[in-house]
Amino acid sequence: MTGERVDRATYHVHVSAPAGVVYAVLADAAKLPLYCSQSVHVECLESDGERERLRMWSLVGGQVKSWISWRHLDQVERRLEFRQKLPGSPLDSVRGVLSVRPEGPHDTELELRYGLDDLPDTQWVEQAAGLDIRAQLTQLKSFAERWTRLDDLVLSFEDSIRVHGPAELAYDFLYRAGDWPELVPDVARVAFAEEAPGVQRLTLERLTENGSHTTAAVRICFPHAGRIVYKQTETLPLLAAHTGEWSVVPDETGTTITSKQTVVLREQDITAVLGPGADLADARRQVRATLGRNSLTLLTLARQHAESAVRMLTPTTSAGGRGATGERR
């Protein structure tokens, strides 16, 4: 005998949605930040369609933690097995099974069973690791139960701009968000902290024609890949969730900067924010216009930052009208 002790816990949740919908929500790991308030970002490291290795970032006890999760997906049985090492925990791993069982055309039982290695007190482990299992299942239930409206409530879009300058300088502008009050005209205030290399917390007050609004976000930066992903923890009105990514991609003739955003609309707030008679289509147009305008402002300034630096570094022409290369301009 090794003396190993494994505690197990089981939760059951009734979901008013078809089993196929519930399983699809569970299986799409990239969408986890849209319905789980703790989840910040999920990066797929490996996948063959059935087995996948993920790196996950979440807010645990108010801090951003990251770990590797291994998942085995069984679409036929609608089962999802997982194993992960808990951040800041002496546990070797937590492992479990999520089972999705139909109880009717539009009703599903979701069962979670998980085991915790080497510690005798399951409740203590949940609290210490910040798992908040019940809250996560409740949020998943709420998201899945809007299945007839999800195509209208979830909005994804992107904006791009070309830059005739180095990708590194464009990325530098987006990375140094703490400097934006000096560089971005409509940014009044920024509270910025980099808790660990590449992990940023950002609270931003932005001026609008109707006053100002404040948002807060966690940003995960991948400098070598030219990417910054983020999850807003304090969103604009009308938004239940907001995730996004900045990408800076060089090519032979310049650089393309792209802002990708995905939001979940808060349908119950439409009338209060947009006025009587406004509907979901109005909310989609308003959100797309506002977020697109904000991102294009930053994209344009990132371009100016990169291209201005290039102009400053360009050699001046000599009296003979030739540059540093000897070619006549």
Side-chain angles (χ1 to χ4, degrees), residues 71-90:
R71 307 203 311 173
H72 179 208
L73 308 173
D74 186 336
Q75 186 174 0
V76 175
E77 297 295 328
R78 296 195 183 102
R79 282 166 48 93
L80 191 157
E81 301 177 21
F82 64 89
R83 177 172 60 88
Q84 62 193 39
K85 176 77 169 67
L86 293 175
S89 167

Side-chain angles (χ1 to χ4, degrees), residues 11-34:
Y11 295 110
H12 293 87
V13 176
H14 176 267
V15 185
S16 298
V21 170
V22 176
Y23 178 79
V25 171
L26 281 172
D28 193 346
K31 287 191 170 64
L32 181 62
L34 290 179

Side-chain angles (χ1 to χ4, degrees), residues 8-12 79 82 95-99 101 111-115:
R8 302 188 185 279
T10 303
Y11 295 110
H12 293 87
R79 282 166 48 93
F82 64 89
R95 60 188 184 277
V97 179
L98 282 157
S99 300
R101 303 188 182 97
E111 179 190 78
L112 168 64
R113 291 184 291 112
Y114 69 91

Side-chain angles (χ1 to χ4, degrees), residues 45 92 95 122 162 182 215 254 268 276:
L45 304 178
D92 286 338
R95 60 188 184 277
T122 297
R162 286 289 291 172
E182 301 171 6
T215 58
Q268 65 270 27

Side-chain angles (χ1 to χ4, degrees), residues 94-131:
V94 56
R95 60 188 184 277
V97 179
L98 282 157
S99 300
V100 178
R101 303 188 182 97
E103 293 188 324
H106 300 147
D107 292 281
T108 298
E109 181 191 58
L110 175 61
E111 179 190 78
L112 168 64
R113 291 184 291 112
Y114 69 91
L116 301 160
D117 296 348
D118 298 334
L119 281 178
D121 189 342
T122 297
Q123 183 177 6
W124 181 88
V125 171
E126 284 186 28
Q127 294 172 350
L131 290 175

Side-chain angles (χ1 to χ4, degrees), residues 62-301:
Q63 295 183 317
V64 181
K65 300 291 185 180
S66 178
W67 62 88
I68 299 295
S69 180
W70 294 264
R71 307 203 311 173
H72 179 208
L73 308 173
D74 186 336
Q75 186 174 0
V76 175
E77 297 295 328
R78 296 195 183 102
R79 282 166 48 93
L80 191 157
E81 301 177 21
F82 64 89
R83 177 172 60 88
Q84 62 193 39
K85 176 77 169 67
L86 293 175
S89 167
L91 288 172
D92 286 338
S93 66
V94 56
R95 60 188 184 277
V97 179
L98 282 157
S99 300
V100 178
R101 303 188 182 97
E103 293 188 324
H106 300 147
D107 292 281
T108 298
E109 181 191 58
L110 175 61
E111 179 190 78
L112 168 64
R113 291 184 291 112
Y114 69 91
L116 301 160
D117 296 348
D118 298 334
L119 281 178
D121 189 342
T122 297
Q123 183 177 6
W124 181 88
V125 171
E126 284 186 28
Q127 294 172 350
L131 290 175
D132 210 359
I133 296 292
R134 291 180 179 84
Q136 291 185 39
L137 293 180
T138 299
Q139 291 168 9
L140 183 148
K141 167 184 166 71
S142 176
F143 186 79
E145 287 183 340
R146 290 175 283 175
W147 63 280
T148 60
R149 306 285 284 159
L150 285 181
D151 286 345
D152 295 321
L153 292 173
V154 178
L155 175 62
S156 296
F157 55 91
E158 64 179 62
D159 299 286
S160 294
I161 198 168
R162 286 289 291 172
V163 178
H164 298 292
E168 294 81 3
L169 293 177
Y171 184 88
D172 178 69
F173 177 88
L174 298 172
Y175 182 87
R176 293 188 297 107
D179 296 338
W180 284 354
E182 301 171 6
L183 304 172
V184 184
D186 63 351
V187 172
R189 179 182 61 86
V190 167
F192 177 87
E194 189 152 10
E195 297 183 346
V199 178
Q200 300 176 344
R201 302 290 288 268
L202 179 70
T203 300
L204 184 149
E205 181 183 354
R206 205 158 191 164
L207 303 176
T208 72
E209 57 186 12
N210 299 317
S212 65
H213 60 246
T214 299
T215 58
V218 176
R219 309 202 317 169
I220 312 297
C221 304
F222 304 92
H224 297 296
R227 298 171 58 222
I228 299 173
V229 298
Y230 62 87
K231 159 77 174 281
Q232 289 203 349
T233 54
E234 183 178 342
T235 63
L236 291 173
L238 292 178
L239 302 185
H242 183 183
T243 63
E245 175 179 336
W246 301 96
S247 63
V248 180
V249 181
D251 55 41
E252 294 80 2
T253 61
T255 299
T256 299
I257 320 177
T258 301
S259 165
K260 298 179 182 179
Q261 302 184 70
T262 299
V263 301
V264 180
L265 299 175
R266 197 188 303 274
E267 191 171 15
Q268 65 270 27
D269 291 346
I270 291 176
T271 300
V273 175
L274 298 182
D279 59 14
L280 193 53
D282 296 319
R284 288 173 66 90
R285 284 191 292 269
Q286 174 75 17
V287 168
R288 174 65 179 98
T290 298
L291 295 182
R293 184 170 58 249
N294 290 347
S295 65
L296 281 172
T297 295
L298 292 171
L299 290 174
T300 300
L301 290 169

